[in-house]
mmCIF file of all heavy atoms in Angstrom:
data_model
loop_
_atom_site.group_PDB
_atom_site.id
_atom_site.type_symbol
_atom_site.label_atom_id
_atom_site.label_comp_id
_atom_site.label_asym_id
_atom_site.label_seq_id
_atom_site.Cartn_x
_atom_site.Cartn_y
_atom_site.Cartn_z
ATOM 1 N N PHE L 136 -43.952 92.436 -70.977
ATOM 2 C CA PHE L 136 -43.264 93.552 -71.637
ATOM 3 C C PHE L 136 -43.818 94.903 -71.178
ATOM 4 O O PHE L 136 -43.056 95.866 -71.005
ATOM 5 C CB PHE L 136 -43.384 93.426 -73.156
ATOM 6 C CG PHE L 136 -42.704 94.528 -73.908
ATOM 7 C CD1 PHE L 136 -41.333 94.515 -74.106
ATOM 8 C CD2 PHE L 136 -43.428 95.596 -74.425
ATOM 9 C CE1 PHE L 136 -40.697 95.539 -74.793
ATOM 10 C CE2 PHE L 136 -42.806 96.624 -75.113
ATOM 11 C CZ PHE L 136 -41.437 96.593 -75.306
ATOM 12 N N ASP L 137 -45.135 94.992 -70.984
ATOM 13 C CA ASP L 137 -45.738 96.258 -70.545
ATOM 14 C C ASP L 137 -45.212 96.667 -69.170
ATOM 15 O O ASP L 137 -44.986 97.854 -68.910
ATOM 16 C CB ASP L 137 -47.260 96.132 -70.503
ATOM 17 C CG ASP L 137 -47.868 95.934 -71.894
ATOM 18 O OD1 ASP L 137 -47.251 96.388 -72.877
ATOM 19 O OD2 ASP L 137 -48.945 95.315 -71.997
ATOM 20 N N LEU L 138 -45.022 95.691 -68.282
ATOM 21 C CA LEU L 138 -44.469 95.988 -66.958
ATOM 22 C C LEU L 138 -43.031 96.466 -67.077
ATOM 23 O O LEU L 138 -42.604 97.374 -66.360
ATOM 24 C CB LEU L 138 -44.534 94.744 -66.064
ATOM 25 C CG LEU L 138 -45.905 94.121 -65.812
ATOM 26 C CD1 LEU L 138 -45.769 92.972 -64.819
ATOM 27 C CD2 LEU L 138 -46.890 95.156 -65.300
ATOM 28 N N PHE L 139 -42.280 95.840 -67.975
ATOM 29 C CA PHE L 139 -40.881 96.219 -68.169
ATOM 30 C C PHE L 139 -40.771 97.650 -68.707
ATOM 31 O O PHE L 139 -39.906 98.409 -68.275
ATOM 32 C CB PHE L 139 -40.196 95.245 -69.122
ATOM 33 C CG PHE L 139 -39.851 93.914 -68.496
ATOM 34 C CD1 PHE L 139 -39.286 92.906 -69.243
ATOM 35 C CD2 PHE L 139 -40.100 93.665 -67.159
ATOM 36 C CE1 PHE L 139 -38.947 91.684 -68.673
ATOM 37 C CE2 PHE L 139 -39.779 92.448 -66.568
ATOM 38 C CZ PHE L 139 -39.203 91.461 -67.343
ATOM 39 N N GLU L 140 -41.646 97.988 -69.656
ATOM 40 C CA GLU L 140 -41.627 99.354 -70.206
ATOM 41 C C GLU L 140 -41.903 100.388 -69.117
ATOM 42 O O GLU L 140 -41.331 101.488 -69.122
ATOM 43 C CB GLU L 140 -42.675 99.487 -71.306
ATOM 44 C CG GLU L 140 -42.190 99.100 -72.678
ATOM 45 C CD GLU L 140 -43.082 99.624 -73.778
ATOM 46 O OE1 GLU L 140 -44.320 99.556 -73.619
ATOM 47 O OE2 GLU L 140 -42.557 100.100 -74.795
ATOM 48 N N GLN L 141 -42.759 100.025 -68.180
ATOM 49 C CA GLN L 141 -43.113 100.940 -67.090
ATOM 50 C C GLN L 141 -41.957 101.129 -66.116
ATOM 51 O O GLN L 141 -41.825 102.191 -65.496
ATOM 52 C CB GLN L 141 -44.343 100.401 -66.349
ATOM 53 C CG GLN L 141 -44.896 101.329 -65.282
ATOM 54 C CD GLN L 141 -46.092 100.728 -64.572
ATOM 55 O OE1 GLN L 141 -46.126 99.531 -64.292
ATOM 56 N NE2 GLN L 141 -47.089 101.549 -64.278
ATOM 57 N N SER L 142 -41.105 100.116 -66.000
ATOM 58 C CA SER L 142 -40.076 100.150 -64.963
ATOM 59 C C SER L 142 -38.714 100.661 -65.440
ATOM 60 O O SER L 142 -37.855 100.955 -64.614
ATOM 61 C CB SER L 142 -39.881 98.755 -64.359
ATOM 62 O OG SER L 142 -39.366 97.862 -65.325
ATOM 63 N N GLY L 143 -38.513 100.751 -66.747
ATOM 64 C CA GLY L 143 -37.190 101.204 -67.172
ATOM 65 C C GLY L 143 -36.956 101.206 -68.665
ATOM 66 O O GLY L 143 -37.890 101.279 -69.469
ATOM 67 N N GLN L 144 -35.691 101.090 -69.033
ATOM 68 C CA GLN L 144 -35.236 101.157 -70.424
ATOM 69 C C GLN L 144 -34.963 99.745 -70.946
ATOM 70 O O GLN L 144 -34.316 98.947 -70.278
ATOM 71 C CB GLN L 144 -33.954 101.995 -70.490
ATOM 72 C CG GLN L 144 -33.274 102.058 -71.843
ATOM 73 C CD GLN L 144 -31.907 102.712 -71.757
ATOM 74 O OE1 GLN L 144 -31.325 102.838 -70.662
ATOM 75 N NE2 GLN L 144 -31.379 103.138 -72.884
ATOM 76 N N ILE L 145 -35.451 99.447 -72.137
ATOM 77 C CA ILE L 145 -35.244 98.139 -72.745
ATOM 78 C C ILE L 145 -34.234 98.266 -73.877
ATOM 79 O O ILE L 145 -34.414 99.071 -74.799
ATOM 80 C CB ILE L 145 -36.571 97.545 -73.246
ATOM 81 C CG1 ILE L 145 -37.507 97.314 -72.057
ATOM 82 C CG2 ILE L 145 -36.320 96.233 -74.003
ATOM 83 C CD1 ILE L 145 -38.889 96.855 -72.441
ATOM 84 N N ILE L 146 -33.169 97.478 -73.791
ATOM 85 C CA ILE L 146 -32.066 97.538 -74.746
ATOM 86 C C ILE L 146 -31.989 96.219 -75.504
ATOM 87 O O ILE L 146 -31.911 95.148 -74.894
ATOM 88 C CB ILE L 146 -30.731 97.801 -74.029
ATOM 89 C CG1 ILE L 146 -30.801 99.108 -73.234
ATOM 90 C CG2 ILE L 146 -29.573 97.841 -75.026
ATOM 91 C CD1 ILE L 146 -29.620 99.317 -72.308
ATOM 92 N N SER L 147 -32.008 96.288 -76.813
ATOM 93 C CA SER L 147 -31.912 95.088 -77.649
ATOM 94 C C SER L 147 -30.442 94.740 -77.871
ATOM 95 O O SER L 147 -29.628 95.614 -78.165
ATOM 96 C CB SER L 147 -32.600 95.341 -78.992
ATOM 97 O OG SER L 147 -32.426 94.235 -79.860
ATOM 98 N N ILE L 148 -30.098 93.445 -77.717
ATOM 99 C CA ILE L 148 -28.713 93.009 -77.917
ATOM 100 C C ILE L 148 -28.693 91.733 -78.758
ATOM 101 O O ILE L 148 -29.695 91.024 -78.872
ATOM 102 C CB ILE L 148 -27.997 92.734 -76.574
ATOM 103 C CG1 ILE L 148 -28.706 91.600 -75.803
ATOM 104 C CG2 ILE L 148 -27.912 94.008 -75.736
ATOM 105 C CD1 ILE L 148 -27.949 91.140 -74.570
ATOM 106 N N ASN L 149 -27.543 91.446 -79.330
ATOM 107 C CA ASN L 149 -27.324 90.206 -80.063
ATOM 108 C C ASN L 149 -26.444 89.281 -79.227
ATOM 109 O O ASN L 149 -25.372 89.667 -78.786
ATOM 110 C CB ASN L 149 -26.645 90.489 -81.406
ATOM 111 C CG ASN L 149 -26.310 89.203 -82.153
ATOM 112 O OD1 ASN L 149 -27.185 88.426 -82.488
ATOM 113 N ND2 ASN L 149 -25.026 88.980 -82.385
ATOM 114 N N CYS L 150 -26.931 88.061 -79.009
ATOM 115 C CA CYS L 150 -26.158 87.082 -78.235
ATOM 116 C C CYS L 150 -25.986 85.830 -79.086
ATOM 117 O O CYS L 150 -26.915 85.009 -79.206
ATOM 118 C CB CYS L 150 -26.867 86.759 -76.928
ATOM 119 S SG CYS L 150 -25.970 85.586 -75.884
ATOM 120 N N SER L 151 -24.834 85.702 -79.698
ATOM 121 C CA SER L 151 -24.511 84.535 -80.541
ATOM 122 C C SER L 151 -25.590 84.285 -81.585
ATOM 123 O O SER L 151 -26.013 83.148 -81.825
ATOM 124 C CB SER L 151 -24.309 83.291 -79.669
ATOM 125 O OG SER L 151 -23.288 83.497 -78.724
ATOM 126 N N GLY L 152 -26.086 85.358 -82.192
ATOM 127 C CA GLY L 152 -27.084 85.249 -83.248
ATOM 128 C C GLY L 152 -28.520 85.290 -82.782
ATOM 129 O O GLY L 152 -29.440 85.330 -83.601
ATOM 130 N N GLU L 153 -28.742 85.278 -81.476
ATOM 131 C CA GLU L 153 -30.103 85.337 -80.937
ATOM 132 C C GLU L 153 -30.397 86.720 -80.395
ATOM 133 O O GLU L 153 -29.549 87.343 -79.746
ATOM 134 C CB GLU L 153 -30.285 84.309 -79.819
ATOM 135 C CG GLU L 153 -31.684 84.311 -79.218
ATOM 136 C CD GLU L 153 -31.855 83.306 -78.089
ATOM 137 O OE1 GLU L 153 -30.861 82.628 -77.749
ATOM 138 O OE2 GLU L 153 -32.973 83.201 -77.541
ATOM 139 N N ARG L 154 -31.606 87.222 -80.672
ATOM 140 C CA ARG L 154 -32.011 88.527 -80.162
ATOM 141 C C ARG L 154 -32.465 88.396 -78.710
ATOM 142 O O ARG L 154 -33.391 87.662 -78.387
ATOM 143 C CB ARG L 154 -33.160 89.075 -81.005
ATOM 144 C CG ARG L 154 -33.668 90.457 -80.585
ATOM 145 C CD ARG L 154 -32.585 91.499 -80.694
ATOM 146 N NE ARG L 154 -32.008 91.555 -82.045
ATOM 147 C CZ ARG L 154 -30.878 92.181 -82.345
ATOM 148 N NH1 ARG L 154 -30.186 92.789 -81.388
ATOM 149 N NH2 ARG L 154 -30.428 92.184 -83.578
ATOM 150 N N LEU L 155 -31.770 89.082 -77.819
ATOM 151 C CA LEU L 155 -32.150 89.156 -76.415
ATOM 152 C C LEU L 155 -32.353 90.620 -76.037
ATOM 153 O O LEU L 155 -32.045 91.525 -76.819
ATOM 154 C CB LEU L 155 -31.070 88.524 -75.529
ATOM 155 C CG LEU L 155 -30.794 87.032 -75.707
ATOM 156 C CD1 LEU L 155 -29.680 86.586 -74.762
ATOM 157 C CD2 LEU L 155 -32.038 86.191 -75.489
ATOM 158 N N TYR L 156 -32.846 90.822 -74.830
ATOM 159 C CA TYR L 156 -33.155 92.176 -74.378
ATOM 160 C C TYR L 156 -32.696 92.364 -72.937
ATOM 161 O O TYR L 156 -32.800 91.452 -72.120
ATOM 162 C CB TYR L 156 -34.659 92.448 -74.480
ATOM 163 C CG TYR L 156 -35.217 92.216 -75.857
ATOM 164 C CD1 TYR L 156 -35.684 90.954 -76.227
ATOM 165 C CD2 TYR L 156 -35.253 93.239 -76.799
ATOM 166 C CE1 TYR L 156 -36.175 90.721 -77.498
ATOM 167 C CE2 TYR L 156 -35.753 93.015 -78.077
ATOM 168 C CZ TYR L 156 -36.211 91.754 -78.424
ATOM 169 O OH TYR L 156 -36.690 91.526 -79.692
ATOM 170 N N ILE L 157 -32.216 93.566 -72.653
ATOM 171 C CA ILE L 157 -31.814 93.932 -71.293
ATOM 172 C C ILE L 157 -32.819 94.928 -70.739
ATOM 173 O O ILE L 157 -33.141 95.925 -71.394
ATOM 174 C CB ILE L 157 -30.411 94.566 -71.272
ATOM 175 C CG1 ILE L 157 -29.355 93.589 -71.766
ATOM 176 C CG2 ILE L 157 -30.049 95.041 -69.858
ATOM 177 C CD1 ILE L 157 -27.965 94.202 -71.896
ATOM 178 N N LEU L 158 -33.331 94.641 -69.550
ATOM 179 C CA LEU L 158 -34.149 95.627 -68.850
ATOM 180 C C LEU L 158 -33.255 96.389 -67.880
ATOM 181 O O LEU L 158 -32.781 95.836 -66.888
ATOM 182 C CB LEU L 158 -35.289 94.954 -68.081
ATOM 183 C CG LEU L 158 -36.079 95.897 -67.147
ATOM 184 C CD1 LEU L 158 -36.732 97.030 -67.933
ATOM 185 C CD2 LEU L 158 -37.114 95.127 -66.344
ATOM 186 N N ASN L 159 -33.024 97.652 -68.190
ATOM 187 C CA ASN L 159 -32.286 98.551 -67.316
ATOM 188 C C ASN L 159 -33.301 99.237 -66.407
ATOM 189 O O ASN L 159 -33.998 100.169 -66.818
ATOM 190 C CB ASN L 159 -31.526 99.580 -68.160
ATOM 191 C CG ASN L 159 -30.802 100.613 -67.320
ATOM 192 O OD1 ASN L 159 -30.503 100.382 -66.157
ATOM 193 N ND2 ASN L 159 -30.520 101.765 -67.907
#
């Protein structure tokens, strides 16, 4: 997660009731 925060924007989404995340 720390590497992802350094590289871009993290967007939280709902996928059929499960919390997933998009790294932009």
Side-chain angles (χ1 to χ4, degrees):
F136 180 80
D137 294 333
L138 302 184
F139 284 177
E140 272 197 318
Q141 186 181 39
S142 65
Q144 174 189 17
I145 297 175
I146 302 170
S147 175
I148 62 172
N149 176 61
C150 181
S151 302
E153 180 181 2
R154 181 61 56 194
L155 297 179
Y156 305 89
I157 298 174
L158 171 61
N159 176 22

